[in-house]
């Protein structure tokens, strides 16, 4: 089964990327894999404190994931898979793509601010020509109705 890989973070544009991935998966018989990455700088404390912070980050991710997962199950009939990795975002995304042969499309949400589309898109487009899969960039300001129409 072809999976749409979407990155879960705290950005506003993440919502449209999630919606797009779920709707495309539902229309094409695919699946959705949601990747969340815990940055290493969050744990540059004493070992015990770092372990507690890591566990708290995982718990926040799971709660955040469940909100999207419930919507995907209820509205799109898709049961998404959660993957949590630790490290720098771009290398971890690329590693996940290389390690899971079922991932067929990377879906990212673009910020609509004047500062640019966001750090992930900026970094990943630099190596877009060598990515092993297509990357879909979903505008953060795309309306729900328009999103439904294009999927």
């Amino acid at each position: 089964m072809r999976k749409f890989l979407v990155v879960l973070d705290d950005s506003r544009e993440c919502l449209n990327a999630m919606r797009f991935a779920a709707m495309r998966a539902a229309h094409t018989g695919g699946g959705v894999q949601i990747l969340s990455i815990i940055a290493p700088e969050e744990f540059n404390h004493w070992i015990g404190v770092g372990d507690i912070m890591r566990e708290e980050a995982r718990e926040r991710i799971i709660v955040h994931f469940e909100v999207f997962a419930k919507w995907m199950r209820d509205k799109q009939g898709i049961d998404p898979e959660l993957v949590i990795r630790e490290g720098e975002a771009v290398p971890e995304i690329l590693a996940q793509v290389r390690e899971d042969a079922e991932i067929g499309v990377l879906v990212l949400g673009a910020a609509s601010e004047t500062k640019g589309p966001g750090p992930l898109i900026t970094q990943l487009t630099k190596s877009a020509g060598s990515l092993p899969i297509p990357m879909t960039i979903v505008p953060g300001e795309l309306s729900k109705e328009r999103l439904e129409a294009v999927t």
Side-chain angles (χ1 to χ4, degrees):
M1 168 188 1
R2 179 178 69 162
K3 295 179 192 174
F4 291 83
L5 176 65
V6 62
V7 178
L8 173 64
D9 58 25
D10 293 327
S11 67
R12 261 186 64 226
E13 56 272 12
C14 174
L15 176 60
N16 267 0
M18 290 287 175
R19 285 181 179 148
F20 180 88
M23 287 188 258
R24 287 298 302 146
H27 289 124
T28 62
V32 174
Q33 185 176 89
I34 298 175
L35 174 63
S36 188
I37 302 160
I38 300 172
E41 63 267 5
E42 292 184 37
F43 309 112
N44 288 336
H45 303 285
W46 296 297
I47 293 173
V49 174
D51 290 343
I52 292 169
M53 292 176 71
R54 184 176 288 109
E55 187 55 37
E56 288 173 351
R58 285 183 176 278
E59 289 171 9
R60 280 191 311 273
I61 289 166
I62 291 168
V63 168
H64 200 178
F65 165 77
E66 284 302 327
V67 170
F68 288 112
K70 180 175 180 359
W71 176 83
M72 287 183 190
R73 285 186 211 106
D74 293 351
K75 300 290 185 188
Q76 302 300 325
I78 298 291
D79 192 17
E81 166 190 2
L82 174 63
V83 174
I84 301 173
R85 297 182 72 112
E86 293 183 25
E88 297 298 329
V90 171
E92 292 302 323
I93 292 167
L94 296 174
Q96 186 63 29
V97 168
R98 282 190 301 274
E99 292 169 16
D100 189 336
E102 291 185 331
I103 296 172
V105 179
L106 172 61
V107 180
L108 299 172
S112 58
E113 300 153 6
T114 57
K115 295 183 281 184
L120 282 182
I121 293 173
T122 300
Q123 291 175 30
L124 284 167
T125 53
K126 290 177 183 175
S127 60
S130 62
L131 288 175
I133 59 171
M135 178 172 52
T136 299
I137 299 173
V138 182
E141 291 296 317
L142 201 60
S143 72
K144 191 166 120 178
E145 295 75 26
R146 182 72 182 129
L147 193 59
E148 288 171 356
V150 299
T151 58

